[in-house]
Amino acid sequence: MATEAFPGVGDPRGPWVLAGERAPLDALLGVLWRQWVVAGPPADPWEEGLAGLVASGEGRAAETLRALRGGAAARARAAVAASAATLARLGTVDPRWDPHPGERLVGALGGGRVLVVSEIDLGLGRPARTRASRCLVTVGAFGPTAQAARSLRRAALLEALRSGAAPFQVVGIALASREAWAWPVDRVLLGRALAELVAELRARRRRLARLGGPAAVGEVAWTRAA
């Protein structure tokens, strides 16, 4: 797709990586969720969540949350406390579901010139080649946000590309408000994910062209693979 539709995409110094951004609070809750899957609910959710962000390479999100003051800080802490209470109510994940916390899905386009990345908080089930067998889960404080839904659609597309079978559904969980949404994965959802990806590539290529071409890659919000 990228080779034919975007012949100018790519930088000779390395591939471009398209990776969605996540709100700092949602990133912290993702850390707590993954910890819950592995070891159970946290004893000190705020501090353990911040430490987990730093340990996972998301120190900037931790700094943003630590810098909150006044009402913003109180709301963030309240959301984390409510989310921790939700986790305590959930019990444990049955190991027969084959849980995989904190999965990173990567797809290569255009002969490896573009890498598309999506991170989910929990994958359930084993990859299949012909029959959908997995469920992908992401968490946040409240939702579902448009960003979370878009991230789940992209994750479903990448899972289909890497394993040959799309997941049977994707799920968004709002821990603070104790809500959940599930979307069945069908051709409509995958087609929308593909259309969103094409639109993002086109928009970023146009922006890059306005900035002067490949030499200006560093001025755009790209992440270059090592």
Side-chain angles (χ1 to χ4, degrees), residues 32-42 84-99 122 124:
L32 295 181
W33 172 271
R34 296 190 291 272
Q35 177 180 324
W36 164 74
V37 173
V38 174
T86 300
L87 292 177
R89 284 172 167 264
L90 290 178
T92 59
V93 179
D94 192 323
R96 291 176 295 180
W97 295 355
D98 197 22
L122 180 66
L124 297 171

Side-chain angles (χ1 to χ4, degrees), residues 184-201:
V185 178
D186 53 19
R187 291 188 176 185
V188 174
L189 184 144
L190 293 175
R192 183 175 178 182
L194 183 58
E196 290 168 344
L197 179 58
V198 170
E200 183 177 352
L201 281 167

Side-chain angles (χ1 to χ4, degrees), residues 63-89:
E63 292 174 3
T64 299
L65 292 171
R66 284 194 184 278
L68 295 177
R69 296 292 183 270
R75 287 190 294 273
R77 286 180 175 271
V80 170
S83 298
T86 300
L87 292 177
R89 284 172 167 264

Side-chain angles (χ1 to χ4, degrees), residues 90-180:
L90 290 178
T92 59
V93 179
D94 192 323
R96 291 176 295 180
W97 295 355
D98 197 22
H100 295 269
E103 280 197 57
R104 192 169 191 258
L105 308 178
V106 181
L109 302 176
R113 289 184 292 170
V114 177
L115 298 181
V116 185
V117 180
S118 182
E119 296 189 9
I120 59 171
D121 295 310
L122 180 66
L124 297 171
R126 297 179 179 179
R129 292 186 178 277
T130 59
R131 183 177 179 181
S133 65
R134 304 201 74 210
C135 174
L136 307 182
V137 181
T138 190
V139 301
F142 308 98
T145 64
Q147 183 180 22
R150 179 171 178 163
S151 177
L152 283 168
R153 287 193 293 271
R154 180 165 295 183
L157 177 63
L158 293 178
E159 174 68 16
L161 291 174
R162 77 170 184 172
S163 69
F168 69 90
Q169 72 176 4
V170 291
V171 175
I173 297 178
L175 292 174
S177 55
R178 297 173 59 188
E179 300 172 279

